């Protein structure tokens, strides 16, 4: 059976990659003008945060380079303060933080954890 942490991390990476694809060829001004873009990015960040909240403490401790608390806190903020979303923060999260995530994907996070379990 697949490791649930690996599944959750893959969900995080898939959502981050998808969000990055949503903003390709888009500008910050497009975020203000396009409600579907806004909702898709917010939903992607929520998915990343929800998946992060389900990752085990052992996995989080093994990967302190990932800001787990910040990720989950942002998800909570978007869910509970949906009426007051800072679109600059959403844009920065996707363009500066989520875009590099897929580069880290299998080898660094998921692959490294699988190796630890096998050993």
């Amino acid at each position: 059976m697949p490791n649930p942490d690996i599944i959750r991390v893959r969900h995080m990476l898939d959502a981050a990659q998808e969000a990055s694809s949503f903003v390709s060829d888009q500008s910050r001004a497009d975020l203000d003008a396009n409600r579907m873009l806004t909702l898709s990015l917010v939903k992607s960040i929520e998915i990343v945060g929800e998946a992060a909240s389900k990752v085990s403490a052992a996995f989080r401790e093994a990967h302190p380079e990932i800001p787990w608390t910040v990720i989950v806190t942002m998800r909570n903020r978007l869910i509970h303060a949906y009426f007051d979303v800072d679109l600059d923060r959403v844009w920065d999260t996707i363009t500066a933080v989520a875009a590099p995530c897929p580069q880290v994907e299998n080898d660094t996070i998921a692959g490294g954890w699988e190796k630890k379990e096998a050993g």
Side-chain angles (χ1 to χ4, degrees), residues 22-43:
F22 294 155
V23 298
S24 67
D25 301 323
Q26 301 286 324
S27 69
R28 171 59 185 84
D30 294 324
L31 190 59
D32 290 324
N34 185 336
R35 182 75 173 146
M36 285 194 310
L37 178 61
T38 300
L39 293 175
S40 65
L41 295 179
V42 167
K43 184 63 176 178

Side-chain angles (χ1 to χ4, degrees), residues 72-92:
V72 173
T73 300
M74 184 154 186
R75 175 258 180 219
N76 292 343
R77 170 82 174 137
L78 291 171
I79 292 288
H80 298 291
Y82 60 88
F83 52 87
D84 187 29
V85 174
D86 181 345
L87 294 182
D88 289 327
R89 186 98 185 251
V90 168
W91 184 259
D92 291 345

Side-chain angles (χ1 to χ4, degrees), residues 50-118:
E50 181 65 16
S53 75
K54 304 299 184 193
V55 171
S56 71
F59 190 93
R60 289 192 308 265
E61 289 170 14
H63 295 283
E65 71 279 6
I66 299 171
W68 300 104
T69 302
V70 173
I71 293 168
V72 173
T73 300
M74 184 154 186
R75 175 258 180 219
N76 292 343
R77 170 82 174 137
L78 291 171
I79 292 288
H80 298 291
Y82 60 88
F83 52 87
D84 187 29
V85 174
D86 181 345
L87 294 182
D88 289 327
R89 186 98 185 251
V90 168
W91 184 259
D92 291 345
T93 298
I94 299 303
T95 58
V97 178
C101 283
Q103 297 171 7
V104 179
E105 192 171 350
N106 294 328
D107 295 337
T108 304
I109 297 174
W113 184 255
E114 289 165 349
K115 289 175 192 165
K116 283 183 189 178
E117 284 193 326

